[in-house]
Amino acid sequence: MTKPSIDRRVARTRATLHQTLMSLILKQGYEAITIRDICDAANVGRSTFYAHYTSKEDLMRSGIENLRQVLLDRQRDALATPGDRSHRSLGFSLTLFEHARDHIDLHRGLVGGGTVALGIIRQILSDVVRDEIAATGDKKSSDAIPRELVVQYVVGAYMAVLTWWLDRGAKPPPTEVDRMFRRLATDGVLPHLAEGGSP
C-alpha cells in the first residue's frame, strides 16, 4: 500500500474520531464521555484509538488545533491592516464569536463541559493574546501592568462575555457583541498593550 493511501486512511480515522467526540459532547456532555463510548460510536477498536491519541483530552486538543490556527491567522491579518490600533487589536474576537454562532450547540457543550474542555479554550485564547502583546508591546514603561495579568484579564473577560452571549442564544449578532467586547476591552487594555509591561 502506498504512503498517500495510508495517510488518507489515518486522516479519515482521525476525522471520524473528532466528529464522534463532538457528537457525543452534544448528547451527553464532555465529562461523561469515556474512551469506550467514543470507540463504540465511531466503530473502531480501542487499539485503533490509542494508535492515534493518548486520551480523550488529547483527541479534544487535536480537534481544536484547527480553531487555534484560524484565530492566529485572523489576528495576523488584523495586525497587518493599516489604520487605528483600536480597530486592529484583539483580532481573534469576531472570528471566535462567528465560529460559536455557527456551532452554537458545540460551543455551549464546550463552555459548560467541564474544566478540561474549558481549559483548552482558555489556553488557546491566552496564547493568541500573549502573541499579540509580544508583537505590539514596546516594553519601555517600568510601571506597566505585567503582561501576563493583561492576558488573563482579556481572556477571562472574553470567556465571560462568550458564555453570557451563548446563554442568550447568540444574540445580539456576532458583529455587535464583538463591537461591545472590543470597546470594553480596548478602553482598559489598549494602553497596557502599547506599554508592553513586564513578563
Side-chain angles (χ1 to χ4, degrees):
M1 186 173 286
T2 63
K3 189 174 187 302
S5 296
I6 295 172
D7 290 344
R8 281 195 294 272
R9 188 174 64 196
V10 166
R12 193 164 47 244
T13 300
R14 290 180 177 175
T16 297
L17 290 170
H18 288 146
Q19 291 164 2
T20 300
L21 178 61
M22 296 304 106
S23 175
L24 289 172
I25 287 172
L26 297 179
K27 290 178 183 173
Q28 62 194 69
Y30 177 80
E31 296 296 335
I33 298 168
T34 65
I35 299 296
R36 169 171 273 185
D37 293 334
I38 297 168
C39 291
D40 288 349
N43 196 28
V44 302
R46 290 175 70 90
S47 60
T48 299
F49 178 93
Y50 285 114
H52 297 279
Y53 302 104
T54 60
S55 63
K56 72 173 183 178
E57 291 81 9
D58 186 33
L59 173 60
M60 172 72 82
R61 285 189 179 91
S62 174
I64 294 178
E65 278 306 307
N66 182 55
L67 177 59
R68 177 196 297 270
Q69 194 55 54
V70 168
L71 295 179
L72 287 172
D73 290 345
R74 177 64 190 97
Q75 176 193 53
R76 199 172 299 114
D77 292 344
L79 291 175
T81 303
D84 184 353
R85 171 83 184 284
S86 65
H87 296 297
R88 295 181 289 127
S89 62
L90 308 177
F92 69 89
S93 174
L94 178 59
T95 300
L96 187 51
F97 281 128
E98 289 174 339
H99 190 276
R101 177 209 49 207
D102 294 343
H103 305 89
I104 187 167
D105 289 336
L106 175 59
H107 276 266
R108 278 179 176 151
L110 292 175
V111 169
T115 56
V116 173
L118 199 56
I120 294 170
I121 296 171
R122 289 185 67 94
Q123 186 59 55
I124 288 174
L125 292 182
S126 296
D127 291 346
V128 170
V129 174
R130 202 174 287 118
D131 286 350
E132 178 171 335
I133 293 173
T136 58
D138 66 16
K139 306 176 183 68
K140 290 180 181 174
S141 175
S142 61
D143 62 347
I145 294 174
R147 274 178 276 161
E148 194 56 29
L149 177 55
V150 176
V151 169
Q152 297 306 315
Y153 175 84
V154 171
V155 172
Y158 190 87
M159 292 301 296
V161 171
L162 180 63
T163 302
W164 169 84
W165 184 64
L166 290 174
D167 286 346
R168 292 171 55 91
K171 292 183 171 94
T175 51
E176 182 66 12
V177 73
D178 172 66
R179 183 190 65 76
M180 292 187 288
F181 167 74
R182 286 160 54 88
R183 179 178 173 191
L184 289 169
T186 56
D187 283 353
V189 171
L190 191 57
H192 302 292
L193 291 177
E195 292 170 354
S198 55

Coordinates of all heavy atoms in Angstrom, one line a residue, residues 18-49:
H18 N -12.8 12.6 15.7 CA -13.1 14.0 16.1 C -14.6 14.2 16.0 O -15.3 14.8 16.9 CB -12.4 15.0 15.2 CG -11.0 15.1 15.4 ND1 -10.1 15.3 14.4 CD2 -10.2 15.0 16.5 CE1 -8.8 15.4 14.9 NE2 -8.9 15.1 16.2
Q19 N -15.2 13.8 14.9 CA -16.7 14.0 14.7 C -17.5 13.3 15.7 O -18.5 13.8 16.2 CB -17.1 13.6 13.3 CG -16.5 14.5 12.2 CD -16.6 13.8 10.8 OE1 -17.1 12.7 10.6 NE2 -16.1 14.5 9.8
T20 N -17.0 12.1 16.1 CA -17.7 11.3 17.1 C -17.7 12.0 18.4 O -18.7 12.0 19.2 CB -17.1 9.9 17.2 OG1 -17.2 9.2 15.9 CG2 -17.7 9.0 18.3
L21 N -16.5 12.5 18.8 CA -16.4 13.2 20.1 C -17.3 14.4 20.1 O -18.0 14.6 21.1 CB -14.9 13.6 20.3 CG -14.7 14.4 21.6 CD1 -15.0 13.6 22.8 CD2 -13.3 14.9 21.7
M22 N -17.4 15.2 19.1 CA -18.2 16.4 19.0 C -19.7 16.0 19.2 O -20.5 16.6 19.9 CB -18.0 17.1 17.7 CG -16.6 17.8 17.6 SD -16.1 18.9 18.9 CE -14.9 17.8 19.7
S23 N -20.1 14.9 18.5 CA -21.4 14.4 18.5 C -21.8 13.9 20.0 O -22.9 14.2 20.5 CB -21.6 13.2 17.6 OG -22.9 12.7 17.7
L24 N -20.9 13.2 20.6 CA -21.1 12.8 22.0 C -21.2 13.9 23.0 O -22.0 13.9 23.9 CB -20.0 11.8 22.4 CG -20.1 10.4 21.7 CD1 -18.8 9.6 22.0 CD2 -21.3 9.6 22.1
I25 N -20.4 15.0 22.7 CA -20.4 16.1 23.6 C -21.8 16.7 23.6 O -22.4 17.1 24.6 CB -19.4 17.2 23.2 CG1 -18.0 16.7 23.6 CG2 -19.7 18.5 23.9 CD1 -16.9 17.6 23.1
L26 N -22.4 16.8 22.4 CA -23.8 17.4 22.3 C -24.8 16.5 23.0 O -25.8 17.0 23.5 CB -24.1 17.6 20.8 CG -23.3 18.5 20.0 CD1 -23.7 18.6 18.6 CD2 -23.3 19.9 20.7
K27 N -24.6 15.2 23.0 CA -25.6 14.3 23.5 C -25.4 14.1 25.1 O -26.4 14.1 25.8 CB -25.4 12.9 22.9 CG -25.9 12.8 21.5 CD -25.6 11.4 20.9 CE -26.0 11.4 19.4 NZ -25.6 10.1 18.8
Q28 N -24.2 14.0 25.6 CA -24.1 13.7 27.0 C -23.1 14.5 27.8 O -22.9 14.3 29.0 CB -23.7 12.2 27.1 CG -22.3 11.8 26.5 CD -22.1 10.3 26.4 OE1 -22.8 9.7 25.6 NE2 -21.2 9.8 27.2
G29 N -22.5 15.5 27.1 CA -21.5 16.4 27.8 C -20.1 15.7 27.8 O -20.0 14.5 27.9
Y30 N -19.1 16.6 27.8 CA -17.7 16.1 27.7 C -17.3 15.2 28.8 O -16.7 14.2 28.6 CB -16.8 17.3 27.6 CG -15.4 17.0 27.5 CD1 -14.8 16.5 26.4 CD2 -14.6 17.1 28.7 CE1 -13.4 16.2 26.3 CE2 -13.2 16.7 28.6 CZ -12.7 16.3 27.5 OH -11.4 15.9 27.4
E31 N -17.6 15.6 30.1 CA -17.1 14.9 31.2 C -17.6 13.5 31.3 O -16.9 12.6 31.8 CB -17.4 15.7 32.5 CG -16.8 17.1 32.6 CD -15.3 17.0 32.7 OE1 -14.7 16.0 33.1 OE2 -14.6 18.0 32.3
A32 N -18.8 13.2 30.8 CA -19.4 11.9 31.0 C -18.9 10.9 29.9 O -19.1 9.7 30.0 CB -20.9 12.0 30.8
I33 N -18.2 11.4 28.9 CA -17.7 10.6 27.8 C -16.5 9.7 28.2 O -15.6 10.2 28.8 CB -17.4 11.4 26.6 CG1 -18.6 12.2 26.1 CG2 -16.8 10.6 25.4 CD1 -18.2 13.3 25.1
T34 N -16.6 8.4 27.8 CA -15.4 7.5 28.0 C -14.8 7.1 26.7 O -15.4 7.3 25.6 CB -15.9 6.3 28.8 OG1 -16.8 5.5 27.9 CG2 -16.6 6.6 30.1
I35 N -13.6 6.6 26.8 CA -13.0 6.1 25.5 C -13.8 5.0 24.9 O -14.0 5.0 23.7 CB -11.6 5.5 25.9 CG1 -10.7 6.6 26.5 CG2 -10.9 4.9 24.6 CD1 -10.4 7.8 25.5
R36 N -14.4 4.2 25.7 CA -15.3 3.1 25.2 C -16.5 3.7 24.4 O -16.9 3.2 23.3 CB -15.8 2.2 26.3 CG -16.9 1.3 25.8 CD -17.3 0.3 26.9 NE -16.4 -0.8 26.7 CZ -16.5 -2.0 27.4 NH1 -17.4 -2.1 28.4 NH2 -15.6 -2.9 27.2
D37 N -17.1 4.8 25.0 CA -18.2 5.5 24.2 C -17.7 6.0 22.9 O -18.4 5.8 21.9 CB -18.6 6.7 25.0 CG -19.3 6.4 26.3 OD1 -19.8 5.3 26.5 OD2 -19.3 7.2 27.3
I38 N -16.5 6.6 22.8 CA -16.0 7.1 21.5 C -15.8 5.9 20.6 O -16.2 6.0 19.4 CB -14.7 7.9 21.8 CG1 -15.0 9.1 22.7 CG2 -14.1 8.3 20.4 CD1 -13.7 9.8 23.2
C39 N -15.1 4.9 21.0 CA -14.8 3.7 20.2 C -16.1 3.1 19.6 O -16.2 2.7 18.5 CB -13.9 2.7 20.9 SG -12.3 3.3 21.2
D40 N -17.1 2.9 20.5 CA -18.3 2.2 20.1 C -19.0 3.1 19.1 O -19.5 2.6 18.1 CB -19.2 2.0 21.3 CG -18.7 0.9 22.3 OD1 -17.8 0.2 21.8 OD2 -19.2 0.8 23.4
A41 N -19.1 4.4 19.3 CA -19.9 5.3 18.4 C -19.1 5.4 17.1 O -19.8 5.6 16.0 CB -20.1 6.6 19.1
A42 N -17.8 5.4 17.1 CA -17.0 5.5 15.9 C -16.8 4.2 15.2 O -16.3 4.1 14.1 CB -15.7 6.2 16.2
N43 N -17.2 3.1 15.9 CA -17.0 1.7 15.3 C -15.5 1.4 15.1 O -15.1 1.0 14.0 CB -17.8 1.5 14.1 CG -17.9 0.1 13.7 OD1 -17.9 -0.8 14.6 ND2 -18.1 -0.2 12.4
V44 N -14.7 1.8 16.0 CA -13.2 1.5 16.0 C -12.8 0.7 17.3 O -13.5 0.9 18.3 CB -12.4 2.7 15.8 CG1 -12.7 3.5 14.5 CG2 -12.4 3.6 17.0
G45 N -11.8 0.0 17.2 CA -11.3 -0.7 18.4 C -10.4 0.3 19.3 O -10.0 1.3 18.8
R46 N -10.3 -0.1 20.5 CA -9.5 0.7 21.4 C -8.1 0.8 21.0 O -7.4 1.9 21.1 CB -9.5 0.1 22.9 CG -10.9 0.3 23.5 CD -10.9 -0.4 24.9 NE -10.1 0.2 25.9 CZ -10.5 1.2 26.7 NH1 -11.8 1.6 26.6 NH2 -9.7 1.7 27.6
S47 N -7.5 -0.2 20.4 CA -6.1 -0.2 19.9 C -6.0 0.8 18.8 O -5.0 1.5 18.7 CB -5.7 -1.6 19.4 OG -6.5 -2.0 18.4
T48 N -7.0 1.0 17.9 CA -7.0 2.0 16.9 C -7.0 3.4 17.5 O -6.3 4.3 17.1 CB -8.2 1.8 15.9 OG1 -8.1 0.5 15.3 CG2 -8.2 2.9 14.9
F49 N -7.9 3.6 18.5 CA -8.0 4.9 19.1 C -6.6 5.2 19.7 O -6.1 6.3 19.4 CB -9.0 4.8 20.3 CG -9.1 6.2 21.0 CD1 -10.0 7.1 20.6 CD2 -8.2 6.4 22.1 CE1 -10.0 8.4 21.3 CE2 -8.3 7.6 22.8 CZ -9.2 8.6 22.4

